[in-house]
């Protein structure tokens, strides 16, 4: 047992030593960004030059994807505002707004794709034999965990 514990401590120490240089680099770059040093170009990801920062590179890629999604969303909102202005001028602003709300509810509650055959719903009433999905907390399980057992009728 002592041998396994010593091996574990060795591995943990090696991992800690391996992470220290990366932590120092991240702290240095974070300080440089917060100080606003002139060597950083605006609107660029500061971590793309060094391939060892793969985690930070994926973060920058995720940010760029969110920006493109935001542009599409921004265009949709601007189109909706333009249509709202048009319908307001025609004195149909309130009906347009209410219909828009119903459309947003429909889009928000609609799943992006149809369920595959055999795929279970999160709502057990829609599953065959009302089977719950894994991880569902049932009333019986909750009562059992709280210690409320039904009294025996006998």
């Amino acid at each position: 047992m002592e041998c396994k514990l010593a091996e574990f401590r060795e591995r943990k120490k090696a991992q800690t030593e391996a992470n220290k240089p990366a932590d120092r680099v991240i702290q240095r770059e974070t300080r440089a960004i917060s100080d606003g040093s002139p060597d950083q170009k605006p609107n660029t990801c500061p971590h793309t030059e060094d391939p060892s920062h793969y985690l930070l590179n994926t973060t920058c890629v995720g940010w760029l994807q969110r920006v493109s999604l935001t542009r599409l969303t921004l265009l949709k909102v601007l189109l909706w505002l333009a249509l709202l202005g048009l319908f307001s001028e025609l004195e149909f602003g309130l009906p347009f707004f209410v219909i828009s709300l119903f459309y947003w509810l429909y889009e928000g509650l609609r799943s992006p794709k149809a369920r595959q055959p055999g795929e279970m719903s999160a709502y057990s009433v829609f599953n065959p034999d009302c089977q719950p999905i894994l991880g569902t907390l049932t009333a019986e399980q909750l009562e059992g965990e709280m210690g409320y057992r039904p009294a025996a009728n006998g």
Side-chain angles (χ1 to χ4, degrees), residues 38-49:
D39 60 328
Q40 294 288 338
K41 296 176 216 151
N43 298 328
T44 61
C45 180
H47 307 290
T48 54
E49 294 83 23

Side-chain angles (χ1 to χ4, degrees), residues 113-148:
K113 59 179 177 153
R115 282 203 323 252
Q116 302 296 324
E119 185 179 358
M120 296 182 74
S121 172
Y123 302 102
S124 61
V125 294
F126 297 120
N127 295 333
D129 298 326
C130 293
Q131 296 174 339
I133 60 174
L134 291 177
T136 302
L137 181 66
T138 61
E140 293 83 12
Q141 180 185 2
L142 182 64
E143 287 175 352
E145 290 177 2
M146 293 176 66
Y148 297 127

Side-chain angles (χ1 to χ4, degrees), residues 22-36:
D23 290 341
R24 277 189 241 124
V25 169
I26 291 172
Q27 288 173 355
R28 185 175 352 112
E29 290 176 352
T30 304
R31 258 187 260 114
I33 291 170
S34 64
D35 293 342

Side-chain angles (χ1 to χ4, degrees), residues 5-119:
L5 183 59
E7 288 175 5
F8 173 75
R9 287 180 178 158
E10 289 284 330
R11 282 194 314 257
K12 199 68 167 168
K13 185 177 179 182
Q15 286 177 345
T16 305
E17 293 298 322
N19 288 340
K20 281 185 182 179
D23 290 341
R24 277 189 241 124
V25 169
I26 291 172
Q27 288 173 355
R28 185 175 352 112
E29 290 176 352
T30 304
R31 258 187 260 114
I33 291 170
S34 64
D35 293 342
S37 60
D39 60 328
Q40 294 288 338
K41 296 176 216 151
N43 298 328
T44 61
C45 180
H47 307 290
T48 54
E49 294 83 23
D50 189 3
S52 66
H53 295 292
Y54 66 94
L55 181 62
L56 296 174
N57 285 338
T58 57
T59 304
C60 293
V61 169
W63 180 80
L64 289 173
Q65 289 173 347
R66 283 193 304 256
V67 168
S68 65
L69 179 66
T70 305
R71 287 183 182 163
L72 179 62
T73 305
L74 179 66
L75 287 174
K76 287 180 182 179
V77 168
L78 289 175
L79 175 65
W80 181 81
L81 286 173
L83 287 174
L84 180 64
L86 174 70
F87 280 101
S88 294
E89 285 295 319
L90 298 173
E91 297 184 6
F92 285 105
L94 185 62
F96 176 77
F97 184 76
V98 170
I99 291 171
S100 297
L101 287 179
F102 282 119
Y103 175 74
W104 291 333
L105 280 171
Y106 170 74
E107 283 294 319
L109 295 175
R110 189 177 63 143
S111 65
K113 59 179 177 153
R115 282 203 323 252
Q116 302 296 324
E119 185 179 358

